[in-house]
């Protein structure tokens, strides 16, 4: 490894913290206050020799230099003024000081990684918008029109997430394809084709499998669960009241889309309040987060 690359890696791995410093500024020709970011040193660590930048508050001057620091001392030598040495206190730390910070940082970093995935990000954006608009929902006729739209969109967001997640994952995992095509309970692989159907079709079985998955109605969560369970070994459905709420919302969504919000069993218009929409949004967020994490844990390739 080259010296420059090794130095860059050492700088990236070091933990830094801003420190006030008083020094003789070669440009101002006087003692001034300033600031510099120093590498944190630990009681059980070795000395550190890294490049730094010292800034003068009085004249706004900036000086590149090198800091040599350990637990007991800290000296900075300026590149253009090697005869001027700045003596300051070392930036001391203890091994446990940054545990909580690091934990929070990596949790945040993991969340950013999740949100960077288009399928997951699209769902979260939709549900975030639904929750924001829910504040406008009352029980008057005009508000109920909005409520029906928000409920239907929530279930549509779930359907799109499940479909895109399964199809994209299966498309990139040959073993998942084998499991789905070989499942007797699903019967996907038992469909018969003429040999002529395969002419000019690259990876014929995979192509037909993906066509099948694209035709599935993923708001049929029981069927969706079977596909996830067989192909990826994942159970996507919650239990108890959460599952009951999702199933209730799916039924209401059908009435909202196909019967203008009228309950097909009672003949009455569904009344959808803020509480129902918010509970549904939270339940769907929990389901999607769990599924996304489980899919992310699948080995690549399977």
């Amino acid at each position: 490894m080259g010296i420059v690359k090794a130095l860059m890696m050492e700088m990236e791995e070091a933990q830094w913290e801003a420190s006030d410093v008083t020094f003789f500024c070669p440009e101002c020709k006087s003692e001034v206050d300033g600031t510099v970011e120093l590498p944190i040193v630990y009681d059980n660590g070795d000395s550190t020799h890294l490049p730094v930048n010292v800034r003068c508050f009085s004249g706004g001057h900036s000086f590149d230099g090198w800091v040599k620091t350990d637990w007991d001392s800290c000296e900075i030598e300026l590149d253009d003024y090697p005869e001027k040495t700045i003596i300051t206190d070392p930036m001391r730390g203890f091994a446990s000081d940054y545990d909580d910070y690091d934990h929070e940082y990596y949790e945040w970093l993991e969340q950013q990684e999740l949100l960077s995935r288009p399928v997951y990000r699209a769902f979260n954006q939709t549900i975030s918008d639904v929750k924001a608009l829910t504040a406008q929902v009352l029980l008057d006729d005009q508000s109920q029109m909005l409520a029906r739209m928000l409920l239907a969109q929530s279930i549509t967001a779930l359907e799109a997430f499940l479909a895109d997640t399964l199809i994209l994952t299966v498309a990139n995992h040959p073993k998942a394809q084998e499991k789905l095509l070989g499942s007797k309970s699903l019967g996907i692989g038992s469909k018969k084709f003429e040999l002529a159907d395969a002419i000019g079709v690259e990876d014929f079985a995979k192509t037909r499998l993906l066509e099948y998955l694209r035709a599935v109605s993923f708001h049929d969560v029981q069927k969706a669960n079977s596909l996830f369970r067989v192909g990826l070994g994942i159970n996507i459905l919650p239990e108890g009241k959460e599952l009951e709420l999702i199933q209730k919302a799916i039924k209401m969504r059908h009435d909202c889309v196909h019967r203008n919000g009228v309950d097909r069993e009672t003949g009455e218009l569904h009344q959808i309040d803020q509480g129902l929409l918010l509970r549904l949004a939270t339940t769907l967020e929990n389901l999607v987060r769990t599924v996304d994490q489980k899919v992310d844990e699948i080995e690549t390739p399977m």
Side-chain angles (χ1 to χ4, degrees):
M1 181 185 298
I3 296 176
V4 174
K5 186 174 181 180
L7 178 61
M8 291 177 63
M9 290 181 63
E10 186 178 357
M11 291 181 65
E12 289 178 358
E13 292 172 357
Q15 292 174 320
W16 298 79
E17 193 161 316
S19 175
D20 294 331
V21 62
T22 300
F23 67 104
F24 184 88
C25 175
E27 297 294 330
C28 297
K29 309 297 184 184
S30 62
E31 289 284 328
V32 298
D33 292 327
T35 185
V36 60
E37 281 202 359
L38 296 175
I40 297 170
V41 292
Y42 296 92
D43 52 349
N44 59 350
D46 298 325
S47 63
T48 299
H49 190 214
L50 292 173
V52 293
N53 181 270
V54 183
R55 185 171 179 80
C56 160
F57 288 150
S58 294
H61 306 295
S62 183
F63 305 96
D64 291 329
W66 287 79
V67 61
K68 184 175 182 181
T69 181
D70 56 24
W71 183 256
D72 298 311
S73 63
C74 182
E75 296 182 0
I76 302 171
E77 182 179 288
L78 304 181
D79 290 346
D80 295 333
Y81 303 92
E83 73 282 1
K84 301 293 184 183
T85 301
I86 302 173
I87 307 296
T88 187
D89 294 328
M91 188 60 65
R92 298 188 179 104
F94 296 88
S96 61
D97 283 353
Y98 293 86
D99 287 351
D100 291 340
Y101 170 81
D102 286 343
H103 179 70
E104 292 173 2
Y105 170 74
Y106 285 116
E107 279 192 342
W108 174 85
L109 193 63
E110 182 179 359
Q111 184 63 18
Q112 300 313 301
E113 182 182 350
L114 289 174
L115 291 174
S116 71
R117 295 203 287 274
V119 175
Y120 188 75
R121 185 174 67 244
F123 171 84
N124 275 283
Q125 183 60 60
T126 297
I127 293 300
S128 177
D129 292 342
V130 166
K131 291 165 75 173
L133 290 169
T134 295
Q136 303 177 30
V137 171
L138 301 174
L139 294 179
D140 60 89
D141 292 342
Q142 191 173 21
S143 291
Q144 282 300 293
M145 174 67 76
L146 174 62
R148 291 194 292 273
M149 293 171 62
L150 294 177
L151 183 140
Q153 187 59 47
S154 298
I155 297 301
T156 299
L158 172 66
E159 180 179 6
F161 169 81
L162 294 177
D164 291 346
T165 297
L166 182 65
I167 291 170
L168 289 172
T169 306
V170 168
N172 290 287
H173 290 78
K175 286 191 176 180
Q177 298 165 26
E178 292 176 13
K179 291 177 182 178
L180 288 168
L181 290 170
S183 170
K184 293 182 179 180
S185 62
L186 294 176
I188 303 173
S190 62
K191 187 174 181 180
K192 292 180 172 56
F193 295 93
E194 300 289 337
L195 286 176
D197 294 333
I199 296 175
V201 180
E202 185 177 352
D203 206 341
F204 182 77
K206 174 183 175 181
T207 299
R208 288 294 182 261
L209 171 61
L210 296 180
E211 288 177 355
Y212 171 89
L213 294 178
R214 293 188 185 103
V216 171
S217 295
F218 278 82
H219 58 256
D220 182 347
V221 290
Q222 296 296 343
K223 183 168 187 176
N225 190 49
S226 296
L227 293 169
F228 271 88
R229 187 178 63 250
V230 172
L232 306 181
I234 294 173
N235 178 27
I236 67 172
L237 294 181
E239 298 178 350
K241 292 184 178 180
E242 288 189 337
L243 179 56
E244 291 176 5
L245 176 59
I246 293 172
Q247 291 174 326
K248 175 183 177 181
I250 290 172
K251 175 181 175 296
M252 293 174 69
R253 181 251 190 196
H254 182 275
D255 291 341
C256 290
V257 172
H258 299 288
R259 297 178 56 83
N260 200 28
V262 175
D263 189 323
R264 59 183 170 182
E265 295 178 359
T266 66
E268 297 179 355
L269 193 66
H270 285 292
Q271 294 295 308
I272 304 171
D273 59 20
Q274 292 181 1
L276 174 62
L277 290 172
L278 292 175
R279 288 195 304 275
L280 177 62
T282 299
T283 299
L284 296 182
E285 284 178 323
N286 292 337
L287 183 155
V288 166
R289 185 185 306 110
T290 300
V291 172
D292 197 71
Q293 289 173 348
K294 288 180 178 179
V295 170
D296 191 50
E297 291 169 0
I298 295 174
E299 293 183 2
T300 306
M302 291 179 63

